[in-house]
Amino acid sequence: DAKHLVPNKMRDFFCTINLDQEEVFRTQVVEKSLSPYFGEEFYFEIPRSFQWLSFYIYDKSVLQKDLRIGKVSIKKEDLCNYTGKENWFMLQPIDSNSEVQGKVHLELKLNELITDNGSVCQQLVVHLRECHGLPLINGQNCDPYATVSLVGPSRNDQKKTKVKKKTSNPQFNETFYFEVTRSSSYTKKSQFQVEEEDIEKLEVRVDLWNNGNLVQDIFLGEIKVPVKVLRNDSFQAWYLLQPRENGNKSSKADDLGSLRLNICYTEDYVLPSEYYMSLRNLLLKSSDVQPISASAAYILSEVCRDKYDAVLPLVRLLLHHHKLVPFVAAVAELDLKDTQEANTVFRGNSLATRCVDEMMKIVGKHYLKVTLKHVIDEICESPKPCEIDPIKLREGDNVEINMENLRYYVDKVFREIVRSSISCPTLMCDVFYSLRHLAAKRFPNDPHVQYSAVSSFVFLRFFAVAVVSPHTFHLRPHHPDAQTCRTLTLISKAIQTLGSWGSLTKSKLSSFKETFMSEFFKTFQEEKFTESVKKFLDDVSSTESKEPSGLSEPVHLKEGEMYKRAQGRTRIGKKNFKKRWFCLTSREFTYHKQQDKEPIFTIPIKNILAVEKLDENSFNKKNMFQVLHGEKPLYIQANNCVEASEWIEALCRVTRCNQKRLSFYHPSAFLNGNWLCCKATIENTVGCARCTAGVPADTQIEIDGDRETERIYSLFTINMSKLQKLEEACGSIAVYQGPRKEPDDYSNFTIEDSVATFHTLKQIIEIVEKLNESHEKYQKKRSSSAKYGSEENPIVGKVS
């Protein structure tokens, strides 16, 4: 959220998230506010290198261009200082001289020339080779050019390159010559004093500009290199473009407002798979360790300050290796040991409940979409007034009509849920089956506990949460407005209550915190809803196989608006790019003229031969990829680098088992009778580059497993002092069997068997130390291979 924004009058605001100058996400517009609450979460992989993560606040305009109010920019190196906690940031003024991104490849050489009369003078040769990653201007590739200057205390010699059209990676390859010192016999009046020390004060400055044609040129960044670095030698390097020295320094010190952010940024270096074998095996056998509290997975959750940090990679790793169900059963059994009353089973934030929560988010995405999305869309797009709290009713509201509207929505959502058991993923059913039987075993005299063990997850932690926060479960693109949020909250409360009816005794059915909710529920036939809930809970906690019809439905994977190049079935007219709505399911990849319209073009998934990036020089457009199938390649442009990466990954995953996948492809397009990449003139000739995703399915999935293991290794490394403290505690308990004299060291840890826990801790510490050595070797190798000034490791700022 933001507060105290300027101008000091109610306006419509939205916020964008940018990697350098590239917008990757945009919030909804919050109308008529000075302190807008956005409440939106964005999780994304960063597919390219970047310098700044920036957040821009815009004032939405209907007729004119949206006005940028201010920004928060955080350097990549500083992100770790803010990760995992909420921070208020003061908005900074936006200065066009500070809005830069990209890098420049420059070569400098100092020559000594002998003049006609035999004297020696020095000449500076500047070879501007190329630039990479310049920003988009108004959503399009820029028309860049560069000015190259030799600057000193009393001189400023400037030269200019040609303008390169529609490209973010211009190839200049232009050379410029500057006189550094002149011979004493030079007769023409000099514009600067010829002194030997001048070379110490001279610097080469390269400024990048976007050619504005009829409007003002836009500054794209600059670099400065002191001439003294040459020392009679040539020097070439890549440089990151920098803002002007006066950039981001506003003459006005106005308070533009502030923005509250919660940023979680992680950066992992994933080693080859064999390095993780020991740690992976130790984690995967966790469910077999007795007691479970002595297992590596359980210890990970104990030492992490925030259990969520541990749960996320742990659940993914165990899911991938089909070890999640036995582990959840083991930690749930430990959880139930500490539960004294049947009506409080699985209500806390334990390791067991968090693992099930995360599993449902990962496995249940499609289940939520097919069950609730169309109902949530109806509520958000055609909202009816549903407020029934007398205190919150507005003037003119009719509480009876509102109650009817709310009842209509609740009935519809409830009906969709209790009819959805056939779509419930098998893994969720297996977990619910385990939880149900463990709870019944722990409280054998309570007939309702078997239902409450399941409803506490599927209703309270899954459906009810998805209803109240549809944007976090990708059921809606943005956080709903305030009135719709209130409607969704009331529906969510009702669903929680109805979900608990199948597992509560009669005496508890009439207890409500709010009187108006109690009045609302008098309209429900209790027994009818109770039976529906029980039947649904029986179905989703059964291990019986589902009907085959449930498996035949295509799984919806991804959809969104992108641009595709015309397939060129007619010879008349220029092939252009058209905006289309794309949809990917487990069965086919389609595009439509608009959302919810019939598909114009369909590619069956089994017919996709490869999905690869497309070189920018093909059409002078960024963020392009190609889908190779039986006909001509389908060329698609995504809206930003994150979106392009997500589409490529989704398409690669769903097609990875296709038997006819290609091993080679063309990185560029076939234009004007030849392939731009290899110059071959035959259109159906074999590709000239090896496919990046042409690896076996198991290997491709394994990469993700390694990444999750690397994340777990990082967590163990961060918490090494806690591991060592826990190891000491286990040792002291094993040796000294009397009363604990210093409980503070380990009173927060669960130690059921000190010997078994000590043995696991010793293994963890040994494995982590060995991985530390492997990472140090890798970092040395990486730093030696990526020399400072190389394309992978460009120079930042001046070279000294």
Side-chain angles (χ1 to χ4, degrees):
D1 58 347
K3 64 182 180 182
H4 309 319
L5 299 181
V6 295
N8 293 317
K9 54 182 177 178
M10 306 295 259
R11 303 301 291 263
D12 301 341
F13 293 105
F14 66 91
C15 181
T16 67
I17 304 175
N18 293 49
L19 289 175
D20 296 322
Q21 294 306 296
E22 182 178 15
E23 181 185 319
V24 292
F25 287 107
R26 178 179 291 212
T27 69
Q28 64 169 351
V29 177
V30 177
E31 297 180 349
K32 295 182 174 53
S33 175
L34 280 177
S35 298
Y37 176 76
F38 300 109
E40 300 200 36
E41 291 182 13
F42 301 97
Y43 171 84
F44 59 100
E45 301 283 336
I46 299 175
R48 63 170 177 82
S49 58
F50 69 103
Q51 291 188 70
W52 299 86
L53 178 67
S54 300
F55 303 83
Y56 290 82
I57 294 287
Y58 283 80
D59 179 359
K60 179 75 176 171
S61 177
V62 178
L63 301 175
Q64 298 176 330
K65 189 178 177 182
D66 298 331
L67 177 67
R68 293 195 293 185
I69 300 295
K71 69 173 182 178
V72 172
S73 287
I74 305 170
K75 257 191 167 179
K76 178 185 175 182
E77 295 77 22
D78 297 333
L79 282 170
C80 57
N81 299 330
Y82 302 104
T83 191
K85 52 193 175 189
E86 285 188 357
N87 292 279
W88 279 101
F89 296 88
M90 296 296 293
L91 288 176
Q92 300 301 315
I94 295 169
D95 174 6
S96 60
N97 290 333
S98 70
E99 304 290 291
V100 303
Q101 81 172 53
K103 53 191 174 186
V104 181
H105 193 190
L106 195 67
E107 183 177 3
L108 304 175
K109 192 173 183 180
L110 205 56
N111 290 336
E112 287 192 345
L113 300 180
I114 300 174
T115 61
D116 293 340
N117 63 3
S119 61
V120 177
C121 69
Q122 287 186 307
Q123 181 188 56
L124 177 67
V125 182
V126 180
H127 182 195
L128 180 58
R129 294 190 172 186
E130 58 184 318
C131 294
H132 276 185
L134 297 181
L136 299 176
I137 304 295
N138 298 325
Q140 299 295 320
N141 280 332
C142 53
D143 295 336
Y145 71 89
T147 58
V148 181
S149 311
L150 183 63
V151 182
S154 53
R155 73 183 284 178
N156 187 353
D157 298 347
Q158 187 179 92
K159 299 180 180 183
K160 180 180 169 183
T161 68
K162 294 176 182 175
V163 176
K164 299 294 178 180
K165 291 288 185 182
K166 301 295 177 206
T167 177
S168 295
N169 300 322
Q171 302 282 328
F172 290 111
N173 280 321
E174 294 192 41
T175 304
F176 303 96
Y177 300 91
F178 298 90
E179 285 183 327
V180 177
T181 59
R182 294 170 177 168
S183 61
S184 56
S185 61
Y186 189 75
T187 53
K188 188 177 179 182
K189 189 177 179 182
S190 175
Q191 293 180 357
F192 62 98
Q193 293 179 341
V194 184
E195 295 179 5
E196 196 60 41
E197 62 266 21
D198 274 353
I199 197 168
E200 296 292 320
K201 300 173 185 176
L202 294 176
E203 65 181 12
V204 176
R205 193 179 78 206
V206 180
D207 293 79
L208 267 292
W209 298 85
N210 177 60
N211 182 38
N213 291 324
L214 300 176
V215 295
Q216 188 176 357
D217 292 354
I218 297 172
F219 176 73
L220 301 178
E222 70 175 15
I223 62 165
K224 294 180 180 180
V225 185
V227 174
K228 64 182 179 182
V229 302
L230 298 175
R231 298 186 181 90
N232 298 321
D233 199 1
S234 64
F235 182 86
Q236 67 162 329
W238 284 87
Y239 298 83
L240 284 175
L241 285 169
Q242 299 298 309
R244 279 187 175 154
E245 287 189 349
N246 65 342
N248 224 11
K249 293 178 184 175
S250 175
S251 56
K252 298 185 294 180
D254 293 344
D255 183 1
L256 300 173
S258 50
L259 184 65
R260 182 166 57 167
L261 302 167
N262 190 338
I263 301 169
C264 292
Y265 174 76
T266 56
E267 187 175 295
D268 295 317
Y269 295 100
V270 183
L271 301 172
S273 187
E274 58 268 20
Y275 286 87
Y276 299 109
M277 191 178 293
S278 299
L279 181 57
R280 185 167 57 239
N281 291 342
L282 187 64
L283 289 161
L284 294 179
K285 70 177 186 183
S286 291
S287 57
D288 301 324
V289 174
Q290 293 292 336
I292 190 67
S293 60
S295 68
Y298 194 91
I299 290 169
L300 174 69
S301 72
E302 287 280 272
V303 296
C304 287
R305 186 170 58 88
D306 186 348
K307 272 190 170 61
Y308 182 75
D309 291 340
V311 165
L312 200 61
L314 185 60
V315 167
R316 287 175 180 168
L317 182 70
L318 294 174
L319 261 177
H320 170 57
H321 291 280
H322 311 293
K323 294 281 187 179
L324 184 65
V325 177
F327 178 74
V328 167
V331 291
E333 193 168 11
L334 180 63
D335 204 9
L336 286 166
K337 275 185 188 176
D338 298 327
T339 306
Q340 303 305 317
E341 294 184 29
N343 63 345
T344 60
V345 292
F346 304 130
R347 292 297 173 99
N349 275 328
S350 64
L351 177 59
T353 57
R354 289 196 175 209
C355 281
V356 178
D357 284 352
E358 197 55 43
M359 177 274 296
M360 292 190 297
K361 280 182 189 173
I362 297 168
V363 177
K365 275 183 184 176
H366 173 64
Y367 179 33
L368 278 176
K369 278 189 176 177
V370 297
T371 307
L372 291 183
K373 190 175 189 314
H374 61 287
V375 188
I376 300 293
D377 285 344
E378 180 190 335
I379 296 166
C380 293
E381 289 165 14
S382 308
K384 298 177 181 178
C386 293
E387 185 56 71
I388 58 172
D389 184 352
I391 299 170
K392 295 184 178 180
L393 284 172
R394 295 176 183 176
E395 192 176 340
D397 279 354
N398 187 316
V399 71
E400 284 79 15
I401 292 174
N402 287 7
M403 197 173 284
E404 283 178 21
N405 293 338
L406 182 60
R407 176 65 194 260
Y408 166 77
Y409 284 147
V410 170
D411 279 344
K412 197 161 188 178
V413 171
F414 180 80
R415 189 166 57 247
E416 293 298 332
I417 291 172
V418 295
R419 287 177 179 176
S420 71
S421 60
I422 192 70
S423 303
C424 186
T426 307
L427 188 80
M428 284 176 65
C429 294
D430 291 344
V431 169
F432 295 153
Y433 175 82
S434 293
L435 298 176
R436 175 177 182 164
H437 284 270
L438 286 169
K441 183 181 170 185
R442 172 72 178 85
F443 299 100
N445 299 323
D446 191 317
H448 303 286
V449 74
Q450 58 175 322
Y451 293 110
S452 61
V454 180
S455 68
S456 62
F457 287 106
V458 74
F459 277 103
L460 270 67
R461 293 171 177 264
F462 187 58
F463 285 121
V465 178
V467 167
V468 83
S469 304
H471 56 292
T472 60
F473 288 85
H474 307 290
L475 298 176
R476 293 291 299 169
H478 295 297
H479 185 79
D481 61 60
Q483 186 177 337
T484 309
C485 270
R486 176 62 181 161
T487 298
L488 292 172
T489 301
L490 291 169
I491 296 168
S492 179
K493 282 183 176 183
I495 293 301
Q496 287 182 53
T497 303
L498 293 173
S500 67
W501 274 8
S503 56
L504 293 178
T505 56
K506 284 281 178 183
S507 60
K508 295 174 185 173
L509 287 174
S510 55
S511 58
F512 295 99
K513 289 181 183 176
E514 300 102 338
T515 311
F516 62 88
M517 289 301 286
S518 180
E519 290 297 316
F520 175 63
F521 274 102
K522 284 180 181 176
T523 65
F524 287 78
Q525 292 178 354
E526 208 168 278
E527 289 183 9
K528 177 186 168 187
F529 282 90
T530 301
E531 286 308 309
S532 297
V533 169
K534 282 188 173 181
K535 185 180 184 309
F536 170 72
L537 295 175
D538 282 334
D539 289 344
V540 295
S541 58
S542 166
T543 56
E544 292 176 14
S545 59
K546 299 278 190 296
E547 294 174 25
S549 60
L551 301 173
S552 64
E553 288 296 312
V555 179
H556 180 95
L557 299 171
K558 192 168 175 61
E559 61 181 351
E561 207 167 52
M562 295 188 288
Y563 296 84
K564 67 120 199 136
R565 185 175 185 255
Q567 298 280 53
R569 292 182 176 79
T570 173
R571 293 181 179 274
I572 302 169
K574 187 180 177 182
K575 294 176 185 176
N576 59 350
F577 282 79
K578 293 181 178 178
K579 189 185 286 188
R580 292 289 181 256
W581 185 266
F582 287 81
C583 185
L584 175 65
T585 72
S586 55
R587 195 176 289 168
E588 58 193 21
F589 181 50
T590 59
Y591 63 77
H592 314 242
K593 202 160 190 176
Q594 291 174 329
Q595 188 179 3
D596 299 327
K597 297 287 184 185
E598 288 299 309
I600 301 171
F601 189 70
T602 301
I603 307 173
I605 292 301
K606 62 182 180 181
N607 291 357
I608 295 178
L609 307 175
V611 183
E612 297 289 345
K613 288 182 180 178
L614 187 72
D615 283 353
E616 183 192 317
N617 60 10
S618 299
F619 303 106
N620 285 328
K621 290 182 183 292
K622 296 182 83 169
N623 306 318
M624 287 205 66
F625 63 95
Q626 52 183 318
V627 179
L628 307 177
H629 56 109
E631 301 175 33
K632 292 186 177 185
L634 177 61
Y635 297 128
I636 300 170
Q637 183 187 25
N639 294 297
N640 56 63
C641 63
V642 172
E643 190 178 83
S645 176
E646 288 177 349
W647 271 105
I648 292 169
E649 184 184 0
L651 282 159
C652 284
R653 283 193 175 281
V654 77
T655 61
R656 66 177 181 265
C657 296
N658 287 359
Q659 294 181 351
K660 294 181 181 178
R661 280 191 69 94
L662 296 176
S663 299
F664 293 88
Y665 79 108
H666 291 284
S668 290
F670 186 83
L671 295 173
N672 302 322
N674 66 68
W675 289 101
L676 297 180
C677 41
C678 59
K679 307 305 177 189
T681 54
I682 302 171
E683 191 168 1
N684 61 356
T685 191
V686 177
C688 57
R690 183 171 287 279
C691 288
T692 54
V695 292
D698 56 345
T699 310
Q700 194 161 355
I701 297 170
E702 187 64 37
I703 294 168
D704 290 340
D706 291 341
R707 182 169 183 178
E708 304 308 337
T709 315
E710 167 62 30
R711 184 92 289 272
I712 291 169
Y713 151 74
S714 299
L715 292 170
F716 276 136
T717 305
I718 294 165
N719 294 288
M720 180 55 76
S721 60
K722 287 185 181 178
L723 288 170
Q724 290 167 340
K725 189 179 282 188
L726 188 53
E727 188 183 33
E728 288 171 16
C730 289
S732 66
I733 292 169
V735 173
Y736 177 70
Q737 298 293 338
R740 299 178 183 181
K741 291 183 178 178
E742 297 176 3
D744 292 344
D745 283 351
Y746 47 85
S747 58
N748 293 327
F749 298 130
T750 303
I751 304 175
E752 291 182 290
D753 185 329
S754 58
V755 176
T757 307
F758 181 87
H759 178 67
T760 305
L761 283 162
K762 193 175 179 184
Q763 287 178 286
I764 293 169
I765 293 167
E766 284 175 4
I767 290 168
V768 169
E769 286 172 350
K770 197 172 179 182
L771 274 169
N772 284 343
E773 292 173 13
S774 300
H775 272 281
E776 284 171 14
K777 286 178 185 175
Y778 169 75
Q779 291 286 15
K780 282 180 186 174
K781 185 179 175 184
R782 185 170 175 269
S783 58
S784 60
S785 61
K787 193 175 103 179
Y788 191 49
S790 65
E791 186 175 1
E792 298 79 20
N793 190 16
I795 293 168
V796 182
K798 285 188 182 181
V799 179
S800 56

